[in-house]
Amino acid sequence: MIIKDRLNVYHINESDPGGIPVDSFIPLQLLGMACMWHDMGNEVTVESDSLPRFLIEGKYF
């Protein structure tokens, strides 16, 4: 599960004490990968606040 692994690495990197906390950040590369995976007819099984389900499924509007 590439997306899940990348999301874990992102959280580890962003929890660095020298980093600036950002509460409303969405990792666009991972979101793009998840959207493309969904658009190809596959199921995205990763659950995360960083990857909003409504954006992946195209139900925003």
Side-chain angles (χ1 to χ4, degrees), residues 6-48:
R6 297 282 184 185
L7 196 56
N8 287 335
V9 170
Y10 163 76
H11 283 295
I12 291 169
N13 290 341
E14 292 303 314
S15 63
D16 179 18
I20 299 171
V22 179
D23 292 334
S24 61
F25 180 78
I26 296 177
L28 295 179
Q29 293 89 352
L30 297 178
L31 180 60
M33 286 175 52
C35 290
M36 288 183 349
W37 184 253
H38 179 267
D39 289 347
M40 291 182 349
N42 299 301
E43 182 180 356
V44 178
T45 58
V46 176
E47 295 289 333
S48 171

